[in-house]
Amino acid sequence: MKKLLAAALFALAAFSLSAQTASIAANEKVEKVATISAIANTKGTKIYVVGDSTFSPFDDPYYYPRFGIGTKLQGYLNEKKVEVINLAMSGRSSKSFLTEPNYKALVNSIKKGDYLVIGFGHNDEKTEEARYTNPNGSKETAGSFKNSLYVNYVKLALDKKATPILCTPIVRRAPGKAYEGNYVHVTTGTSEFAGGDYPKAIRELAAECKVPLVDNTAYTKSLYESLGDDKTVKFHAWLGHKPGSVDNTHLNTYGASVLAYNVVQEVAKQNKDFSKLVKKDIKAPGEDVLVPNPSYVVPVYTEFSPADKSTTFVTTAPWYGTVFGDMGGAEKIGDADQYEIAEKGKTVMMHSGSTDGKKSAGKIASGSDGLAFYFQQIPADKNFTLKATATVKNATKNNQVSFGLMVRDDVYIDKYDNQVKSDYVAAGVLGLAKGEDAFSSTFQRDGGSLKQTKVQNEKFPSAGTKVALEITKNGNTYTVKYGKDSAEYTADLTEVDSKWVYAGLYTVRSAYIEYSDISLQIK
């Protein structure tokens, strides 16, 4: 009877783990994620997996849904000898994961003879107090990435006489760019958060502790550089049915299978006992495993009509206000502490996230956008010049924070949709966490991909900064100006909405801005 009860409990735990979901966007914004508070105490070897979204399970509506590496490990292992328990959670760092029930379940369950696959790094480099760990320092240095990995994971496993397996993070796909810097997790840092080489810290820790290492960074860097942009797109999730919707961070079922195969192969080379758990004659996965999500529905766009204007943000026609895209949940749209679009005399006050920067809402990231937008609807065949002056009240140093002017292909009225990734041009900041003189002042989303221009003449937009903004449309050529910086983009913004373009002011994530001297001259 006890054996039957234990088996039932284990089956329930396994079911809960496989059903664990994380409905979050490509930038790894943390939302509601199912957690595991207990794991049945059954006999047999287990491989526990901890880490971020690159290892975690998902339940996506995407064309090619996201899959973490941890979801594919069991397929290469003998299920009669070992059970994979995937505790990885999207959006977590080695630091923030410690507060989760999943970590407590790990501590209470891992035992002698088990294995612990450790896959952090993507979020430890986030310049946020709750997630950031310093890539510099030794395993004894409090607050360092090494210390976090060693004390909370490696030492935990060793003390329980289990085997820790350290994995460096996969690269971020870098279409049209070299695999260096942030793409390979070597950060420049800010005045508050030091930068450094996260994969190097993991490699050094593995050597110091004499534990298995899987260098996913080196593996994916070499693989992606050899394949090129056109072929690496097949490894990653697609939010929509076109390649331009690719998520450059998260893997799809094929990519996760390839990486899981590599993890199993690499660990088997380094650990004889682990090699006995691997299925005989396993083969590298083929591209045939990549099939579209049968539940995916091609979205149908309905053009904006003034009759459908926002009831949350009251504006004076022909100007309209809206919040749409991936802002972290529909409940944020009507929250005055999170979003403001208010006409005050000849100025417009806008903020995304709280005015003090402690709460965030929306983003501009490789995988999706979420923004507050004060705009006009303009016939697509008309030329125009849009101008405004932005006075910064607060702008948090974060790579997904942005504000400025934007001209885009489509608009949605107060709609949460984490698949919005439409084309636009922008005169605005992006990448503020990259450094005082390294952020972008103009950028474009083209075919779903972000294209950025580095600042040459502007200083970091701290509180009190005033900057003149301008976008001029001449056919499909857009001249975009941010202060003294200027760039020219070619953009056909008629793929989604063939009749109109939408031009206006925006804020994203944690930006509080006063816009003045606003003018739109249609030619």
Side-chain angles (χ1 to χ4, degrees):
M1 183 65 182
K2 288 183 178 179
K3 290 183 177 181
L4 288 173
L5 179 59
L9 287 171
F10 182 80
L12 178 60
F15 172 79
S16 299
L17 285 161
S18 64
Q20 173 180 185
T21 62
S23 300
I24 83 169
N27 78 332
E28 299 171 338
K29 174 77 173 68
V30 178
E31 296 180 3
K32 294 180 180 178
V33 180
T35 57
I36 305 303
S37 58
I39 297 170
N41 184 22
T42 56
K43 293 181 179 180
T45 301
K46 297 184 181 66
I47 296 178
Y48 292 94
V49 179
V50 294
D52 51 41
S53 57
T54 59
F55 278 83
S56 75
F58 289 95
D59 183 13
D60 281 339
Y62 301 163
Y63 183 75
Y64 288 141
R66 293 169 291 180
F67 281 84
I69 299 167
T71 66
K72 300 297 183 179
L73 292 174
Q74 187 70 71
Y76 301 109
L77 300 169
N78 189 327
E79 62 274 6
K80 294 181 180 179
K81 294 181 179 181
V82 65
E83 179 77 16
V84 174
I85 306 294
N86 191 359
L87 298 173
M89 300 178 73
S90 187
R92 274 57 171 187
S93 70
S94 66
K95 178 181 177 181
S96 65
F97 187 76
L98 302 178
T99 66
E100 300 293 343
N102 287 24
Y103 180 71
K104 295 176 183 177
L106 170 70
V107 172
N108 293 333
S109 303
I110 191 168
K111 65 184 185 305
K112 181 179 180 180
D114 288 340
Y115 294 84
L116 176 59
V117 176
I118 306 162
F120 290 107
H122 278 262
N123 298 310
D124 284 78
E125 63 192 61
K126 301 292 185 181
T127 52
E128 302 167 0
E129 186 60 37
R131 295 194 281 180
Y132 171 81
T133 61
N134 193 326
N136 310 294
S138 70
K139 66 179 188 295
E140 286 80 27
T141 306
S144 73
F145 185 38
K146 273 189 186 178
N147 178 261
S148 181
L149 292 176
Y150 176 69
V151 172
N152 302 307
Y153 305 97
V154 174
K155 189 174 184 298
L156 167 67
L158 293 175
D159 287 348
K160 295 290 185 78
K161 299 189 184 305
T163 302
I165 300 166
L166 283 164
C167 300
T168 65
I170 62 173
V171 299
R172 294 186 175 93
R173 185 171 172 271
K177 299 177 183 178
Y179 280 90
E180 58 188 20
N182 287 339
Y183 293 105
V184 293
H185 310 285
V186 180
T187 63
T188 55
T190 68
S191 56
E192 293 92 349
F193 302 97
D197 192 328
Y198 285 85
K200 180 182 177 183
I202 298 173
R203 295 180 192 116
E204 291 177 350
L205 182 61
E208 292 168 22
C209 298
K210 295 181 172 58
V211 300
L213 169 74
V214 181
D215 198 338
N216 287 324
T217 311
Y219 175 71
T220 49
K221 179 178 184 295
S222 175
L223 179 65
Y224 284 21
E225 287 176 339
S226 67
L227 292 175
D229 294 348
D230 292 342
K231 293 183 179 179
T232 57
V233 72
K234 68 188 176 187
F235 289 93
H236 285 255
W238 293 14
L239 280 71
H241 59 291
K242 297 182 179 180
S245 69
V246 66
D247 177 337
N248 290 323
T249 297
H250 300 97
L251 300 167
N252 59 33
T253 186
Y254 173 56
S257 296
V258 170
L259 266 294
Y261 175 80
N262 181 64
V263 169
V264 169
Q265 293 283 76
E266 288 300 310
V267 178
K269 292 176 185 177
Q270 301 173 54
N271 186 289
K272 291 182 179 180
D273 290 333
F274 184 91
S275 66
K276 298 174 184 177
L277 305 175
V278 180
K279 288 181 179 178
K280 294 182 178 180
D281 301 322
I282 61 170
K283 296 180 180 180
E287 292 182 38
D288 58 319
V289 303
L290 183 59
V291 294
N293 178 2
S295 299
Y296 176 79
V297 177
V298 177
V300 177
Y301 177 75
T302 301
E303 69 183 47
F304 168 74
S305 167
D308 298 323
K309 65 183 180 180
S310 172
T311 57
T312 301
F313 306 103
V314 179
T315 59
T316 304
W319 290 98
Y320 300 94
T322 181
V323 170
F324 65 92
D326 190 1
M327 78 290 293
E331 71 279 358
K332 292 187 177 184
I333 296 174
D335 184 349
D337 188 40
Q338 297 276 8
Y339 283 110
E340 177 186 24
I341 303 174
E343 298 173 334
K344 296 185 178 181
K346 295 182 179 180
T347 68
V348 175
M349 302 300 298
M350 296 181 67
H351 69 76
S352 294
S354 56
T355 56
D356 60 9
K358 292 183 179 180
K359 294 181 180 179
S360 63
K363 62 182 177 180
I364 289 181
S366 63
S368 59
D369 297 325
L371 64 151
F373 195 40
Y374 178 77
F375 70 96
Q376 284 196 36
Q377 181 186 43
I378 305 170
D381 60 352
K382 294 290 186 180
N383 295 324
F384 58 83
T385 296
L386 172 65
K387 296 181 180 181
T389 298
T391 300
V392 178
K393 300 297 184 180
N394 187 45
T396 302
K397 293 182 180 180
N398 182 285
N399 282 336
Q400 296 173 350
V401 169
S402 188
F403 67 86
L405 305 184
M406 178 180 289
V407 180
R408 56 182 297 118
D409 188 356
D410 56 358
V411 74
Y412 307 85
I413 300 302
D414 298 345
K415 180 181 180 181
Y416 169 64
D417 184 348
N418 62 7
Q419 297 187 52
V420 171
K421 195 179 180 181
S422 311
D423 287 357
Y424 53 77
V425 296
V429 299
L430 187 62
L432 293 180
K434 293 178 181 178
E436 298 297 312
D437 59 354
F439 64 92
S440 299
S441 58
T442 67
F443 58 97
Q444 172 186 32
R445 192 180 286 282
D446 182 22
S449 298
L450 282 175
K451 297 181 178 179
Q452 303 180 47
T453 303
K454 299 302 180 189
V455 162
Q456 298 297 322
N457 301 298
E458 299 298 330
K459 294 182 179 179
F460 186 89
S462 55
T465 299
K466 284 190 175 184
V467 60
L469 308 169
E470 181 178 325
I471 299 179
T472 296
K473 177 182 183 293
N474 186 9
N476 287 338
T477 300
Y478 291 82
T479 303
V480 182
K481 298 179 180 180
Y482 177 98
K484 297 177 182 178
D485 296 330
S486 180
E488 191 172 277
Y489 297 104
T490 299
D492 182 6
L493 303 180
T494 58
E495 181 180 3
V496 178
D497 190 332
S498 61
K499 296 180 181 179
W500 309 92
V501 295
Y502 300 88
L505 328 172
Y506 74 93
T507 57
V508 170
R509 197 168 181 83
S510 298
Y512 180 26
I513 309 295
E514 178 185 60
Y515 290 102
S516 59
D517 305 321
I518 303 166
S519 69
L520 176 60
Q521 297 180 337
I522 301 174
K523 303 172 184 178

